Amino acid sequence: MNGVLELLPHDMGLRVELDTNETYYLKSGWAERCDGIYGLACGYVDYVEGITWFKNPARIAIMNSHVKLAVPFDEHETETTKQSEDAK
């Protein structure tokens, strides 16, 4: 995983899929270090409960050894999703 994240824009959110079948959504400004990805988690998917968007982002460290896929996502889309889910 090292070096792959260097190509991704840090000014966008990051979706990180783990080998534990979990997915975290990190806010823009995340950082890659030698041992993992560090940032603020703004959402979580466990594939049983579905996606949960956090009201208050929490600090998270994700170790590279557990990362299956890391791709950027548009944080603005999540705002629209939150608003539409709240309206239900």
Side-chain angles (χ1 to χ4, degrees), residues 3-87:
V4 174
L5 291 174
E6 292 173 5
L7 303 175
L8 298 179
H10 288 244
D11 60 344
M12 289 189 72
L14 184 69
R15 186 182 85 224
V16 183
E17 295 179 15
L18 306 181
D19 60 4
T20 56
N21 292 331
E22 298 170 300
T23 299
Y24 285 94
Y25 290 86
L26 278 58
K27 292 184 73 60
S28 59
W30 52 272
E32 180 189 19
R33 297 191 185 142
C34 62
D35 59 346
I37 305 165
Y38 295 80
L40 293 175
C42 58
Y44 170 79
V45 178
D46 71 2
Y47 300 107
V48 174
E49 299 289 328
I51 191 164
T52 301
W53 295 109
F54 305 145
K55 289 184 180 183
N56 298 313
R59 290 184 184 158
I60 190 170
I62 301 172
M63 299 300 98
N64 284 338
S65 58
H66 294 290
V67 175
K68 284 196 319 189
L69 177 68
V71 294
F73 82 98
D74 187 354
E75 290 178 70
H76 301 292
E77 290 177 14
T78 63
E79 293 300 323
T80 304
T81 305
K82 281 188 225 177
Q83 290 169 0
S84 63
E85 287 177 357
D86 290 342

